[in-house]
């Protein structure tokens, strides 16, 4: 009765025919049914495990390991078909008796691949794995030494060298969802569970291996598709970054350098063994997220006019208007010379006229030199300098002023080369970055990329842009990108509007920004102690800049 109840439970319904069977037969049926259920559960568990594995090398190891466990095989080899569909490359090799584990986490396999075609294009049917791949057939051999269908000379040589004896072999092709061969699963020496004696691979073992090979092919294909999409996304992001950098001949490489430094800073946080960062650790996905945000932090500059991005002087627009001012000075010089020549001799004689001419010309030359220096953006605009410039907007009886009101506005910039309107245009790139990236369907593990990228000009004290957030609202990831962006800008030697700072000068400026509450003090202290900034400097800066 127990056997009947168990069978009814297994099959999920009442089966009257069971009542006419002997207890021994029913017991055998129960055992068989339980074995099938166990195998089905095992295959299901294997399928879940394979689909959950993200690392391709570990996935391939699991495939061979599970195939060997299902069939109790002593050894196993996994071949992967190369992209040109011409050879089978060794991916994983395992042998329990010989204690061999090769491929995957154990390191690359240097054995020559199995060729599918000879030099004349003929099919390599002599090799059992090549034959299985070309014919799509399962090969089940009782003893490889007793078959003439395939060439096992290499197997004999291996056995002679190691003292191993290869006997039963099962070779199964792996096909993806498009019925394309992606690899070969080869198992060696099935063993009796109780005695360990080498036996043939049973039809049941063959079917289980076929089912596993199908699951493995799906898992490998999915892994490749995901990896391919991730690589495509990253390549696309780098292409966009390169396009942004190419807008300006002076900032080429900026985004790449910021991305590299950002990752170095994030790794320094991961390695911190003391301080406020000792319990913070970015996982692999979080590192990818912050790195991608760094690659995209300036994507908004794709809409910023080149003449603003590249503005090297205060008067630069489409061209540097200093040449117009220089032309006016030449005209004024000519007018002065003409006016003095027309003065009557009685007012002072030739000597006085020459002195007046020389004085006016010297003043004119000094004013032009002053404007040239102010135009470079290095001269801070003091009240005295402002008054001197304002005086040049007056014609003072001459045909035209030396500078216009618009030029005065540009030359009177407090520091740097950008007017307030131009600074707004530059700062708008952060808002554009936020709008562009927030509209993209980033996967779950990259959802924060738009926030981190758009916040790279925010400050701890809330004085940054575009949102003016700070304090706890400003994420550690955004602070890292902000610090990387500032340090790269300070040390960059390809900017027309400023000179490259040395390492020590840059650190002093960073500390000053920390003192103003603009950058994260703990982060800067960690980097100086960890040496991440110095490593970056040795890699990217000129030797003369590293003035330790």
């Amino acid at each position: 009765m127990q056997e009947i109840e168990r069978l009814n439970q297994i099959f999920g319904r009442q089966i009257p025919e069971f009542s006419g069977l002997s207890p021994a037969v029913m017991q055998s049926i129960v055992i068989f049914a339980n074995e099938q259920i166990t195998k089905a559960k095992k295959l299901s568990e294997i399928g879940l495990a394979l689909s959950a594995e993200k690392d391709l090398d570990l996935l391939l190891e699991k495939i061979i390991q599970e195939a060997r466990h299902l069939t109790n095989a002593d050894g196993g080899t996994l071949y992967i078909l190369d992209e040109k569909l011409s050879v089978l490359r060794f991916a994983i090799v395992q042998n329990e008796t010989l204690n061999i584990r090769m491929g995957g986490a154990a390191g690359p396999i240097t054995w020559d691949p199995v060729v599918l075609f000879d030099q004349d294009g003929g099919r390599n049917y002599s090799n059992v794995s090549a034959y299985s791949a070309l014919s799509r057939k399962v090969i089940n051999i009782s003893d490889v030494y007793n078959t003439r269908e395939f060439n096992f000379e290499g197997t004999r040589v291996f056995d002679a060298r190691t003292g191993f004896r290869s006997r039963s072999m099962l070779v199964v092709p792996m096909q993806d969802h498009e019925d394309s061969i992606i690899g070969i699963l080869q198992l060696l020496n099935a063993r009796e569970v109780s005695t360990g004696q080498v036996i043939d691979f049973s039809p049941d073992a063959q079917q289980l291996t076929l089912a596993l090979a199908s699951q493995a092919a799906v898992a490998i294909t999915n892994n490749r598709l995901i990896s391919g999409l991730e690589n495509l996304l990253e390549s696309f992001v780098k292409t966009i970054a390169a396009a942004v950098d190419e807008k300006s001949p002076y900032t080429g490489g900026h985004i790449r350098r910021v991305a590299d430094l950002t990752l170095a800073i994030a790794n320094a946080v991961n390695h911190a063994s003391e301080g406020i960062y000792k319990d913070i650790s970015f996982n692999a996905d979080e590192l990818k997220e912050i790195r991608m945000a760094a690659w995209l932090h300036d994507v908004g500059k794709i809409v910023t006019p080149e003449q603003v991005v590249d503005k090297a002087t205060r008067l630069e627009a489409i061209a540097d208007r200093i040449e117009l001012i220089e032309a006016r000075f030449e005209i004024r010089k000519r007018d002065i010379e003409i006016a003095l020549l027309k003065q009557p001799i009685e007012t002072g004689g030739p000597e006085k006229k020459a002195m007046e001419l020389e004085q006016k010309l010297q003043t004119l030359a000094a004013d032009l030199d002053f404007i040239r220096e102010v135009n470079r953006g290095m001269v801070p605009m003091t009240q005295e300098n402002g008054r001197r410039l304002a005086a040049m907007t007056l014609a003072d009886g001459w045909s035209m002023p030396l500078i216009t009101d618009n030029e005065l506005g540009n030359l009177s910039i407090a520091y740097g080369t950008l007017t307030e309107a131009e600074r707004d245009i530059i700062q708008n790139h952060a808002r554009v970055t936020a709008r562009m990236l927030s509209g993209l369907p980033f996967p779950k593990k990259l959802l924060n990329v738009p926030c981190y990228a758009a916040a790279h000009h925010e400050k701890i004290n809330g004085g940054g842009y575009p949102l003016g957030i700070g304090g706890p609202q400003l994420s550690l990831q955004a602070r890292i990108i902000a610090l990387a962006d500032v340090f790269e800008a300070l040390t960059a030697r390809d900017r027309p509007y400023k000179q490259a700072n040395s390492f020590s000068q840059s650190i002093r400026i960073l500390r000053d920004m920390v003192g103003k509450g603009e950058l994260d003090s703990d982060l800067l202290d960690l980097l100086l102690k960890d040496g991440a900034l110095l490593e970056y400097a040795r890699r990217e800066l000129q030797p003369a800049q590293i003035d330790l």
Side-chain angles (χ1 to χ4, degrees), residues 38-85:
T38 301
K39 290 174 181 177
K41 287 183 178 179
K42 183 61 177 176
L43 276 176
S44 177
E45 292 171 359
I46 292 172
L48 290 173
L50 295 182
S51 63
E53 182 56 64
K54 298 178 182 179
D55 187 290
L56 181 58
D57 287 337
L58 294 180
L59 172 61
L60 299 180
E61 285 190 58
K62 279 186 177 180
I63 291 170
I64 280 293
Q65 187 170 309
E66 297 297 348
R68 288 180 50 232
H69 287 171
L70 274 179
T71 59
N72 199 33
D74 191 10
T77 300
L78 182 64
Y79 301 90
I80 294 297
L81 187 63
D82 77 330
E83 295 179 356
K84 296 181 179 179
L85 310 180

Side-chain angles (χ1 to χ4, degrees), residues 272-323:
S273 58
E274 58 185 14
I276 66 171
Y277 299 120
K278 67 178 181 178
D279 297 323
I280 296 177
S281 180
F282 300 117
N283 61 36
D285 286 340
E286 288 170 334
L287 288 175
K288 285 182 180 179
E289 187 176 49
I290 189 174
R291 184 169 180 269
M292 184 163 290
W295 272 104
L296 290 169
H297 79 281
D298 269 350
V299 68
K301 285 185 178 177
I302 204 165
V303 302
T304 307
E306 287 89 341
Q307 63 265 28
V308 177
V309 175
D310 295 344
K311 192 178 182 188
T313 65
R314 290 174 174 172
L315 289 170
E316 186 174 346
I318 301 299
D320 195 340
R321 290 174 290 168
I322 189 67
E323 295 177 0

